[in-house]
Amino acid sequence: MTQSSACRRGGDFAASGEIKFRRWMWPVLLLLVVSGNAPAQESGRSQKQQYQAAPADAQVTRTERTYFAPDVVLIDMDGKTVALRPLTEANQPVMLDFIYTSCTAICPLLTETFAQVQRELGADAAKLRMVSISIDPEYDTPRVLRAYAQTYHAGPHWRFLTGNPKDIVEVRRAFDAYRANKMDHAAIVLLRASPGQPWIRFDGLVSPSALVREYRAMP
Amino acid sequence: MHLPKGFRLICASLLAAWFCATEPAAGQSMAPMIPGGMRESGPGGMFDELTSELSSESVGMRIYRQGILPGDRPAVATRAGAAVVPGQVACANCHQRSGLGAREGQQAIPPVVRPVLYAPKPGVRSAYTDETLAAAIRDGIDPDGRPLSPLMPRYAMQPDELAQLIDYLKKLEPRPSPGVANSVVHLATVVTEDVPPARRQAMLDVMQAYLQDLNEASASAAAGPPGRASAARQGLNPMLRWQLHVWSLSGKAQSRRAQLESYYAQQPVFAVVGGLSTDTWLPIHQFCQRQKVPCLFPTTNVPVSDRPAFYAMYFDKGSVLKAQILARYFADHPQEFSSGRIVQVLPADWTGYEPAAALRQAMGRVKAHRVVDQVVAPGIPIPSEFWQQVLSQESVCAMILWAQNADLAGLAQLASDRSLPPIFVAQDPYSGKPPVSDRRLSDRLRFISTLDPATATAAAASWSAWMKAHRLAESEAMLQANTYFVMNLVDEAVRANAGDFTPEHLIERIEYSAGSVVSHPLLASLSLGMGQRFAVKGGYVLTPGDASGRASASSDLVIP
């Protein structure tokens, strides 16, 4: 093993924790996001904004998208079947992300973020439907998801879903969150105020405080 | 030969007692004999660890791998304003056991091995010192005072705990495998004496052909002008050669440790690839863990399924997985299977006991009382009288045969006279010939298989073309596809790791690449993740199709 190969492993990627984001990179990043994020079921409405938030959110992009959940039935962490479309079209705010339990970096932070949002909202947390969908359904059985949910003290309004792998792929495609390799997945959080409203999509490591602000500002 | 029930039970008990007495190293219910073993926590894996290794190493190693501070206290950390849960707090969860970092989507987890930390990264950061490293771990700032990624937790640690962790990081550096020396990568494969010669040869032919290709490519690159080597091989030593060692094991299971150690003493290897046995894989599993040698994807029905180890990777949990698939299938089809007896016919050895126990466990206490076990002597044809007696029991709604290559001729004789319940066979229909030749049974047979016969992938076509090009007949398709996949994985990992031969790095790359970068020719839904050691987690219930043995799925993917 040489030092150079070790460097190569962690050093090639612009989002490395050790690589400082520079202002001139913004146009490049925006171009990449625009070209790489054509959603499968998007109606064409996509409004991009640079998110104004805490320093931790400097690399987060906020866009508004129109997505429709496919008509699939998933399974929650209690082993109960859940029709996804009614869940995401419920007459209440919905916050959704994609995770898997053996993920080591992004997912734990996403899940910690959801847990912190739940904590910061206090009693209001019951008004927000939180949905975390596993992208590794063969490993993340209801039993595994239940243990994971308990670790993060998920409340009754926060469901972890798994299901048939083909259905999960369909869901990921519908929300423009599909990557062939689960370990290449991106950090995405989706938030929607009410049925008919667009989904607000955060690409990057959005902070809990930014999500809480977004939620509070919703009509 | 039909044996009275009482006699059979006595024989089974005696056999079980003999196994327990002579082979403590086998079976699902028996823990691997790792002295004083303990487990790591977190998504990095619940692995058996050698206590001797942990105790001989520093406190820092335990903090790094397990996130456990002295006094068995979990490390405490926060990031992005939230507490990191205890299971996620270990450094190795992100930076990997090797310390060589990882990549996840657009996020890169940098390496934390000594040679990297203590050197500057031009344009990125200065070199760390002990003091600035402590500040990075505690406060999340780099040596130049800039904040680290929000992914990096900020650890609340006492100065002496930080010092011990930093002391471990200073020892953490790539550890080249002793199985690579003088530009030769030594690989071993293990075959036990119970394996038929044709199957053994089918596996070895694939391995030899694959390595011959690699050696010819190396020779060609070395002989050609600079730049001739393909981009995929850049970073590799053009003189690299691959050599396969066949470790044949014979005799009783308890003698296998010594045989393996003897082979390894003669020639250490970088990895144990593939391998073939109908017996327990435990001695090889333990050997690999002891010697820190990656042990990659053997074809065995008896993997070590209950105690995952860092260095041992498997396709699936073997017959235990099949039992779990079946229990789930029964639960999903209540109209057919919610009442009546479920008879499982099992040979009086581990190939029978393991799945039989797993089925009962998976069905749960309430439903397991409907399961009736019928133990038979292993390897002896089962006469029709036996089947007659089994079927004379009241309301049998399903019959399961855990015997490999079960002889069903006696059962087929009964098929014309009476209606039979569905008969589930734990056998892949892809072993090159139909598992059951008697057509009288075909409409009752169901195969429990990890294979989706409806899937025709690009990987399957590519593999078939490779086999043809190397003049290899698909005589043992599943085994040969398994073998090709393993060789492909190791080859890809060595290239991706740019010639780094740290065993832990090999494992970490395979966790990433299996099923995504490298596809299995026949198992489309195979994948791993960090700490996962069984690549296939579900399967199908199949019905036999035409005379060629091509089966069709009668169920969706069943995930236990």
Side-chain angles (χ1 to χ4, degrees), chain B residues 68 113 143 273 425 465 472 487:
Chain B
I68 303 289
V113 290
V273 290
V425 184
L472 296 172
M487 304 309 286

Side-chain angles (χ1 to χ4, degrees), chain B residues 73 155-156 266 290 326 347 400 470 482 486:
Chain B
R73 292 171 297 123
Y155 289 86
Q266 286 168 34
R290 201 165 46 243
L326 196 53
I400 309 158
H470 292 79
N482 284 349
V486 176

Side-chain angles (χ1 to χ4, degrees), chain A residues 122-138:
Chain A
D124 283 349
K127 297 174 188 167
L128 174 64
R129 166 70 64 194
M130 291 161 66
V131 182
S132 294
I133 301 175
S134 169
I135 60 170
D136 188 10
E138 291 167 31

